Amino acid sequence: ANTGAASLSVAGASASNMIAVPNVQPSGDLRLTVVNGRVYQGGKPFRHIGVNAWDQVYDALKGGTYYQSDLAAIAGYGVKVIRVSSTPNVAADIVTYIGTTASAPVSTYKSKLTAVLDEAYRQGVGAMLGIIWDHNQLLTALSATNADLGVSTSTVRVWLRDWAMWLARNFYDHPGLAGWFIGNEFVNYAWGDKFLTATSDTSKNHIGAMVDVINDICANIRSYDAVR
């Protein structure tokens, strides 16, 4: 990410697409920021007490409510931040809920994701929101390959840019959003011994391709959120 960004550009943002502060008991500013190499939350030094709660949004999408009791229990243990996936972990569900055009997920997606972030905020727990959980499931959903990750104009690269932009545009101002993360073990699934294998862009190996993907995502997040 471009940590040197000094100002927040919100081209295209308006009152209609900015997230409203949820109607819950305020928990203060849950954003994570870095100052001189130190992490702060709400202006106070941050002591990391976190858990992985990746499937909270998935539960909400499926009509579940256990994310509410989960978040209450998590907060009860003194947890200050959780890791949440913004996308389903199954290729078919990626197609169903987000689709092959990532800039236009199903109409209920925003409200479900908002509900989880609202509840986390109400409980005083900041959410680290992931752009994609399992990139192999995304590749399957888009009928793409690892090699396609090395091509800036490929379907999967365009999808990732569009999805990062949609998330940033709709949630960068949510008070329960602690920060962003790119993915889960992004380079592990099926990559292993392929790190040094050329992609379809023969100038880059898989590590180079993944760096390109990360830079893509960060640039789109930064276009709306220069803080986290």
Side-chain angles (χ1 to χ4, degrees):
N2 178 17
T3 55
S7 61
L8 178 61
S9 172
V10 290
S14 66
S16 63
N17 64 25
M18 289 173 63
I19 204 75
V21 175
N23 184 25
V24 293
Q25 182 65 38
S27 302
D29 189 348
L30 301 181
R31 293 181 299 175
L32 295 180
T33 56
V34 179
V35 180
N36 295 327
R38 291 190 174 186
V39 180
Y40 293 82
Q41 188 175 50
K44 299 178 181 180
F46 175 67
R47 180 187 177 194
H48 183 274
I49 306 174
V51 299
N52 185 20
W54 70 270
D55 58 347
Q56 303 295 294
V57 177
Y58 191 53
D59 170 57
L61 282 172
K62 293 289 188 177
T65 58
Y66 78 73
Y67 71 88
Q68 296 171 342
S69 57
D70 272 9
L71 288 169
I74 286 169
Y77 282 106
V79 170
K80 299 300 182 185
V81 66
I82 57 173
R83 185 171 71 144
V84 178
S85 173
S86 69
T87 54
N89 195 34
V90 178
D93 288 326
I94 292 175
V95 173
T96 297
Y97 292 110
I98 303 177
T100 55
T101 303
S103 58
V106 295
S107 59
T108 56
Y109 207 98
K110 182 178 177 181
S111 63
K112 297 298 186 180
L113 183 47
T114 300
V116 173
L117 292 179
D118 284 359
E119 183 62 22
Y121 179 74
R122 191 177 76 83
Q123 297 291 346
V125 178
M128 295 291 297
L129 189 60
I131 309 303
I132 186 68
W133 191 257
D134 183 341
H135 74 277
N136 276 329
Q137 293 297 318
L138 176 60
L139 293 176
T140 298
L142 299 178
S143 299
T145 67
N146 275 324
D148 293 327
L149 289 166
V151 182
S152 64
T153 57
S154 67
T155 300
V156 65
R157 287 282 290 277
V158 171
W159 192 100
L160 284 166
R161 286 195 294 269
D162 286 350
W163 184 238
M165 182 65 80
W166 185 87
L167 286 172
R169 184 173 65 247
N170 286 284
F171 293 99
Y172 79 92
D173 203 34
H174 194 290
L177 179 65
W180 309 93
F181 70 93
I182 304 298
N184 178 56
E185 300 173 4
F186 219 26
V187 297
N188 283 350
Y189 300 108
W191 285 56
D193 60 355
K194 297 181 179 180
F195 276 158
L196 300 179
T197 302
T199 64
S200 55
D201 178 351
T202 56
S203 67
K204 296 184 177 70
N205 56 35
H206 276 179
I207 293 178
M210 199 46 84
V211 169
D212 285 348
V213 171
I214 291 171
N215 284 337
D216 267 1
I217 291 171
C218 289
N220 282 277
I221 291 293
R222 287 295 186 191
S223 69
Y224 280 87
D225 188 350
V227 178
R228 296 176 182 85

